[in-house]
């Protein structure tokens, strides 16, 4: 078997080598398997190799394997790795796409409502007095989706609860009268179809990517598909990177699945230095509810984390970029990231720095590749060097002290007792985007509690003030 693994990627990329932990995952054939994959540890490589092994060695029919991820971008990468590079024609899809394909088996024809905002807008147009309770169409769509993911009984019949029920009933009636479904309906209706009908799904293996982002309705759907097809479930993810509770994800489901599954870990990171992951790991493990793991790296770099206090944002950012150019040259890729989208505008003066879509133009080095993303959008990506903006205290600081309204909170499964648990994971994601160094910027006399905590760690350069 060792020779097979050594040559598994030979025709695709001879530089890819599967480590011992990855090989153990590929060989395991448990009914329920959880793969806890550290940041930058090669989880996509592991999933691709697992599929190739199942087809070539275990002689599993490719059509009986399904891989599921949350975004089209992630699905496209898996398709490139498996469908194209390995020429294996297994099903790779998003949750919505898979659910819709199963719904078609019912024989009922659905039309997809891709713009639910217009339905909400019509309701608000005819009920203007209710706008003060429902804010705006975007907010309404968010709470409708959250409610569909986690329907609850409103014991407290407040005015806002009653108004939401009016909106929800209007929305659902419109959808049903016009034979429409939205994306959340695909999940719930597919679950109901499998629960109440004799439709048979023929899968042997279900592999779920980014399992830490699972929501209740998706979790129930996977269980139902597995029960229906008697298939094995392989869940791949990292609870240290669970950052989407606002969209209905529930990290507690990740931990729940781990209790019934065999848990294997892939802990060798190919992105970060050992010094960085030691600090980031210690930071995230302050929360004892996270699954423990010790990441390993062959890369060493002194003081990879730099804390920078500033008085003037633009001057500070330009100075850091200048220093990175001196150390790493002009061919590097730099990522600027922050908690909120609007954070970047404190650093854009259109004299030294300009923003065009997600690209940042630094006029001193116009060909330098600089990208700006929010931390949520940066997840899964790696850059040569990273600059984290606005680690300040306050309502829109980091950690964010801004709370959702009580009504929205009631629809989110977020019963974590550890203070700023998800904000801590979000900061961990930010720290681990870099291949080399990360610079953390804060305004003098406005440093966040995360800055104060980080300064206690070794391998932190915290004496810079610009």
């Amino acid at each position: 078997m060792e020779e097979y693994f050594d040559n598994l990627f030979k025709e695709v990329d001879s530089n890819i080598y599967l480590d011992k932990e990855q090989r153990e995952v590929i060989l395991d054939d448990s009914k329920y398997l959880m793969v806890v994959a550290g940041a930058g540890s090669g989880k996509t490589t592991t999933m691709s190799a697992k599929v190739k092994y199942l087809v070539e060695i275990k002689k599993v029919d490719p059509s009986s394997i399904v891989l599921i991820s949350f975004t089209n971008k992630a699905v496209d990468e898996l398709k490139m790795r498996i469908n194209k590079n390995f020429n294996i024609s297994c099903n790779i899809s998003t949750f919505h796409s898979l659910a819709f394909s199963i719904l078609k088996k019912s024989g009922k024809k659905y039309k997809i409502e891709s713009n639910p905002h217009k339905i909400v807008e019509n309701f608000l147009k005819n009920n203007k007095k209710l706008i003060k309770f429902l804010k705006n169409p975007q907010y309404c769509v968010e709470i409708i989706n959250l409610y569909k993911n986690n329907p609850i009984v409103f014991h407290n019949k407040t005015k806002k609860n009653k108004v939401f029920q009016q909106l929800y009933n209007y929305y659902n009636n419109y959808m049903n009268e016009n034979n429409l479904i939205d994306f959340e309906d695909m999940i719930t209706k597919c679950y109901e179809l499998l629960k109440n009908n004799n439709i048979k799904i023929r899968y042997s293996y279900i592999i779920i990517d980014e399992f830490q982002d699972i929501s209740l309705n998706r979790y129930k759907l996977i269980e139902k598909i597995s029960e229906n097809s008697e298939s094995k479930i392989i869940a791949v993810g990292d609870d240290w990177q669970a950052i989407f509770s606002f969209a209905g994800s529930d990290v507690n489901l990740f931990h729940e699945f781990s209790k019934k599954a065999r848990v294997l870990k892939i802990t060798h990171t190919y992105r970060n230095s050992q010094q960085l992951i030691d600090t980031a790991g210690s930071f995230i493990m302050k929360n004892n509810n996270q699954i423990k793991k010790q990441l390993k790296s062959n890369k060493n770099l002194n003081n990879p984390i730099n804390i920078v206090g500033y008085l003037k944002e633009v001057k500070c950012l330009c100075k850091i970029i200048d220093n990175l150019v001196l150390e790493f040259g002009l061919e590097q890729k730099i990522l600027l990231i922050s908690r909120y989208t609007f954070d970047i505008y404190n650093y854009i003066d259109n004299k030294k720095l300009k923003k065009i879509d997600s690209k940042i133009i630094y006029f001193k080095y116009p060909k330098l590749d600089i990208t700006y993303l929010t931390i949520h959008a940066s997840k899964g990506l790696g850059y040569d060097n990273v600059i984290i903006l606005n680690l300040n205290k306050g309502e829109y600081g980091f950690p964010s002290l801004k709370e959702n309204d009580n009504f929205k909170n009631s629809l989110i499964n977020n019963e974590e007792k550890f203070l700023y648990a998800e904000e801590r994971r979000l900061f961990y994601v930010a720290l681990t985007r870099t291949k080399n160094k990360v610079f953390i910027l804060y305004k003098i006399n406005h440093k966040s509690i995360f800055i104060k905590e980080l300064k206690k760690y070794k391998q932190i350069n915290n004496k810079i003030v610009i």
Side-chain angles (χ1 to χ4, degrees):
M1 250 6 269
E2 294 303 311
E3 184 178 355
Y4 173 78
F5 286 134
D6 289 343
N7 293 291
L8 199 147
F9 285 92
K10 186 176 181 180
E11 295 181 4
V12 177
D13 186 345
S14 59
N15 293 317
I16 295 178
Y17 177 81
L18 294 167
D19 61 39
K20 183 179 178 181
E21 292 173 334
Q22 290 173 313
R23 296 180 187 208
E24 186 177 5
V25 168
I26 294 164
L27 289 169
D28 189 275
D29 203 35
S30 302
K31 170 67 174 176
Y32 302 115
L33 173 63
M34 168 163 278
V35 182
V36 182
S41 62
K43 69 177 178 65
T44 305
T45 295
T46 307
M47 287 188 290
S48 304
K50 177 82 175 181
V51 172
K52 194 171 195 287
Y53 168 80
L54 288 173
V55 172
E56 290 185 343
I57 304 300
K58 301 288 287 183
K59 305 303 179 185
V60 176
D61 184 346
S63 66
S64 71
I65 302 172
V66 60
L67 284 87
I68 313 168
S69 196
F70 286 81
T71 66
N72 288 322
K73 183 177 180 182
V75 165
D76 288 344
E77 182 179 0
L78 287 166
K79 285 181 176 179
M80 175 66 73
R81 299 276 194 106
I82 299 170
N83 294 159
K84 184 176 180 180
N85 292 347
F86 285 159
N87 195 29
I88 296 173
S89 57
C90 63
N91 184 8
I92 303 173
S93 67
T94 62
F95 275 93
H96 297 126
S97 178
L98 176 65
F100 194 57
S101 68
I102 295 172
L103 277 177
K104 290 178 180 177
K105 296 178 183 292
S106 69
K108 187 174 181 179
K109 293 185 178 180
Y110 290 101
K111 293 180 288 184
I112 300 172
E113 177 52 75
S114 58
N115 185 18
H117 295 78
K118 70 178 184 181
I119 304 172
V120 173
E121 286 169 1
N122 287 336
F123 176 82
L124 295 176
K125 190 186 300 180
N126 296 319
N127 297 272
K128 292 181 179 179
K129 292 181 179 180
L130 302 182
I131 291 178
K132 66 178 180 179
F133 297 101
L134 297 173
K135 296 185 180 181
N136 55 63
Q138 178 60 35
Y139 174 83
C140 293
V141 171
E142 287 174 4
I143 60 174
I144 287 171
N145 288 339
L146 287 170
Y147 183 78
K148 287 184 176 183
N149 173 59
N150 181 37
I152 63 173
V153 177
F154 292 110
H155 297 291
N156 182 12
K157 299 297 183 181
T158 65
K159 178 67 174 177
K160 191 162 189 173
N161 293 348
K162 293 176 181 177
V163 169
F164 170 69
Q165 290 294 167
Q166 283 182 253
L167 166 65
Y168 190 74
N169 292 338
Y170 174 90
Y171 183 89
N172 265 359
N173 289 338
Y174 180 91
M175 298 289 280
N176 291 332
E177 288 169 4
N178 293 279
N179 199 31
L180 292 167
I181 58 170
D182 60 24
F183 291 110
E184 289 304 314
D185 287 333
M186 293 179 190
I187 307 297
T188 54
K189 288 184 181 296
C190 181
Y191 172 80
E192 293 298 328
L193 177 69
L194 294 176
K195 181 181 177 182
N196 300 319
N197 292 274
N198 293 322
I199 291 175
K200 192 68 178 173
I201 307 299
R202 304 187 186 281
Y203 287 125
S204 301
Y205 290 87
I206 304 171
I207 304 174
I208 307 108
D209 185 22
E210 302 287 5
F211 193 74
Q212 75 280 347
D213 296 333
I214 200 79
S215 59
L216 181 61
N217 59 357
R218 287 162 178 76
Y219 188 87
K220 290 167 63 177
L221 177 61
I222 291 300
E223 285 191 320
K224 187 55 66 178
I225 293 174
S226 175
E227 177 187 318
N228 180 287
S229 58
E230 299 181 354
S231 54
K232 296 176 179 179
I233 299 177
I234 303 166
V236 185
D238 182 9
D239 64 329
W240 292 10
Q241 300 184 70
I243 58 173
F244 290 102
S245 69
F246 66 89
S249 301
D250 183 2
V251 70
N252 295 307
L253 296 171
F254 185 96
H255 297 143
E256 181 179 315
F257 183 79
S258 71
K259 293 174 184 177
K260 70 176 182 181
R262 185 185 184 201
V263 178
L264 295 177
K265 301 173 185 178
I266 50 177
T267 60
H268 194 110
T269 177
Y270 299 90
R271 181 190 301 151
N272 314 125
S273 67
Q274 187 65 53
Q275 291 75 12
L276 185 139
I277 56 176
D278 283 347
T279 300
S282 296
F283 179 85
I284 196 69
M285 279 308 303
K286 290 284 185 179
N287 181 354
N288 291 324
N289 296 318
Q290 306 284 167
I291 294 176
K292 290 180 172 61
K293 58 181 177 289
Q294 182 65 51
L295 298 184
K296 305 179 290 289
S297 174
N298 292 329
K299 182 187 292 187
N300 287 286
L301 188 65
N302 289 329
N303 298 323
I305 301 175
N306 299 269
I307 298 174
V308 184
Y310 64 81
L311 292 172
K312 296 182 179 180
E313 292 95 333
V314 176
K315 178 182 177 183
C316 175
L317 181 56
C318 291
K319 181 67 174 177
I320 291 170
I321 295 173
D322 289 345
N323 289 340
L324 284 173
V325 170
L326 284 174
E327 186 171 1
F328 296 95
L330 290 170
E331 297 301 314
Q332 66 181 300
K333 293 184 177 181
I334 298 174
L335 175 66
L336 309 184
I337 48 176
S338 65
R339 178 65 179 81
Y340 292 102
T341 306
F342 50 76
D343 287 330
I344 186 62
Y345 294 106
N346 293 326
Y347 299 82
I348 300 299
D349 62 356
N350 291 319
K351 294 178 183 178
K352 295 180 179 179
L353 294 159
K354 183 178 181 180
K355 182 177 182 293
I356 303 176
D357 297 324
S358 64
K359 289 297 180 182
I360 304 298
I361 308 300
Y362 183 29
F363 294 124
K364 186 174 181 178
Y365 301 111
K367 293 185 179 181
L368 185 61
D369 190 336
I370 307 175
T371 301
Y372 169 74
L373 296 170
T374 63
I375 301 170
H376 286 97
S378 75
K379 189 169 170 296
L381 304 177
Y383 286 77
D384 295 311
N385 292 288
V386 171
I387 302 171
I388 307 175
L389 311 176
N390 284 10
L391 251 290
N392 301 323
K393 62 183 178 181
E395 183 178 8
Y396 290 95
F398 197 0
S400 171
L401 303 183
K402 183 179 182 296
E403 294 185 1
N404 285 327
D405 60 84
N406 291 333
F407 181 75
K408 198 169 186 179
N409 277 337
S410 70
L411 298 172
I412 295 174
N413 284 329
N414 191 5
E415 298 179 358
E416 296 182 88
K417 295 179 181 179
F418 193 84
L419 187 63
Y420 306 127
E422 184 149 328
E423 292 290 303
R424 184 172 288 265
R425 292 192 292 267
L426 192 60
F427 189 52
Y428 173 82
V429 168
L431 288 173
T432 53
R433 296 312 92 200
T434 186
K435 298 176 183 177
N436 296 296
K437 291 188 174 183
V438 58
F439 289 80
I440 305 167
L441 278 55
Y442 73 94
K443 191 171 185 177
I444 298 295
N445 297 324
H446 290 80
K447 67 171 72 80
S448 84
I449 58 172
F450 286 170
I451 291 286
K452 294 176 182 178
E453 182 178 334
L454 273 182
K455 285 191 173 186
K456 299 175 184 177
Y457 290 97
K458 296 178 180 179
Q459 293 292 341
I460 297 282
N461 184 359
N462 60 22
K463 298 179 180 178
I464 304 175
V465 177
I466 297 177

